[in-house]
Amino acid sequence: MGIGKSKIDSCPLSLSWGKSHSVDTSQGHYESASKNSEDISLCDVAERGKTTEEPPGEQEGAEGEAETPEEDDEEEEVFLKFVILHADDDTDEALRVQNVLQNDFGIKPGIIFAEMPCGRQHLQNLDDAVNGSAWTILLLTENFLRDTWCNFQFYTSLMNSVNRRHKYNSVIPMRPLNNPLPRERTPFALQTINALEEESRGFPTQVERIFQESVYKTQQTIWKETRNVVQRQFLA
């Protein structure tokens, strides 16, 4: 899932994510901001032209409809149960695993990394994905080791789980049914963690033991408190 060839730029926006208050000083950030500014200007021009053609009543109705999506975005902000980090070539397999966890085991909501919001920096999406979910699932396939971005993802996730006490044991390596990474080729840092083995007969028991509702509720509470503190500091 290298940065240069990532599918994220063309992905659909399946969930609404809150704005992060972390500071991003990269060139890509400024280019994105500039592009957004241009888009707004074009929208303003189109809206002015539309004003001359529509009666006042229709204009007011259009304005009311324009405010609705923003309100909906705020209502849809959720703390996910899991996010699946995967290689670029494993998007279909990640979607299959997502469906298995959500539909067969009732562990929802979850997301795969390719479904993260488009048009944003990879690091920003990674931070939101890991900190906006209770568990981080690393999809261990043959493609995983070939992707430098995947290596960065799993090291970052592990460091996050070490530095934040409530994130302890939140990183879950998983060998899926299709094209799994052999144990002997698994990075040493991940060999110390018991991996989910989808082909194992004990897979349902593993899932039940790992994804406990009490753990999710605890992390969700901490997530909400942290967001409230950051928002108050941002508005102060």
Side-chain angles (χ1 to χ4, degrees), residues 114-135:
E115 293 179 312
M116 291 295 293
C118 308
R120 284 167 53 178
Q121 294 238 340
H122 287 66
L123 292 178
Q124 180 68 67
N125 274 338
L126 179 61
D127 181 73
D128 287 344
V130 172
N131 294 314
S133 59
W135 291 280

Side-chain angles (χ1 to χ4, degrees), residues 45-164:
V45 172
E47 197 63 35
R48 293 192 190 100
K50 187 177 179 183
T51 302
T52 61
E53 300 175 359
E54 296 180 352
E58 295 183 6
Q59 294 175 23
E60 293 177 359
E63 291 176 357
E65 292 176 0
E67 294 175 357
T68 302
E70 184 177 351
E71 296 174 357
D72 292 343
D73 288 346
E74 295 179 357
E75 293 176 358
E76 292 178 6
E77 283 187 47
V78 294
F79 181 69
L80 301 170
K81 288 203 171 179
F82 67 86
V83 60
I84 300 177
L85 304 184
H86 56 88
D88 187 55
D89 293 333
D90 290 330
T91 298
D92 291 340
E93 183 68 359
L95 283 170
R96 186 191 64 79
V97 171
Q98 178 192 28
N99 290 331
V100 167
L101 293 176
Q102 292 192 131
N103 300 329
D104 295 352
F105 295 96
I107 305 170
K108 59 178 69 172
I111 194 174
I112 70 171
F113 191 73
E115 293 179 312
M116 291 295 293
C118 308
R120 284 167 53 178
Q121 294 238 340
H122 287 66
L123 292 178
Q124 180 68 67
N125 274 338
L126 179 61
D127 181 73
D128 287 344
V130 172
N131 294 314
S133 59
W135 291 280
T136 302
I137 299 175
L138 306 177
L139 201 65
L140 301 183
T141 67
E142 290 282 358
N143 298 319
F144 189 83
L145 292 182
R146 302 180 189 139
D147 205 321
T148 304
W149 173 239
C150 285
N151 282 278
F152 178 82
Q153 285 179 318
F154 91 73
Y155 276 118
T156 301
S157 302
L158 287 177
M159 289 303 299
N160 186 67
S161 67
V162 170
N163 293 329
R164 302 188 178 192

Side-chain angles (χ1 to χ4, degrees), residues 153-207:
Q153 285 179 318
F154 91 73
Y155 276 118
T156 301
S157 302
L158 287 177
M159 289 303 299
N160 186 67
S161 67
V162 170
N163 293 329
R164 302 188 178 192
R165 188 167 62 178
H166 69 283
K167 285 290 187 179
Y168 183 69
N169 283 338
S170 64
V171 178
I172 312 297
M174 178 176 176
R175 293 186 181 87
L177 288 177
N178 301 311
N179 199 28
L181 181 68
R183 293 182 181 84
E184 60 272 16
R185 295 180 54 208
T186 302
F188 178 76
L190 296 178
Q191 290 182 14
T192 60
I193 306 174
N194 290 329
L196 273 173
E197 307 278 353
E198 193 176 4
E199 66 177 358
S200 170
R201 289 184 299 176
F203 179 68
T205 303
Q206 281 185 299
V207 171

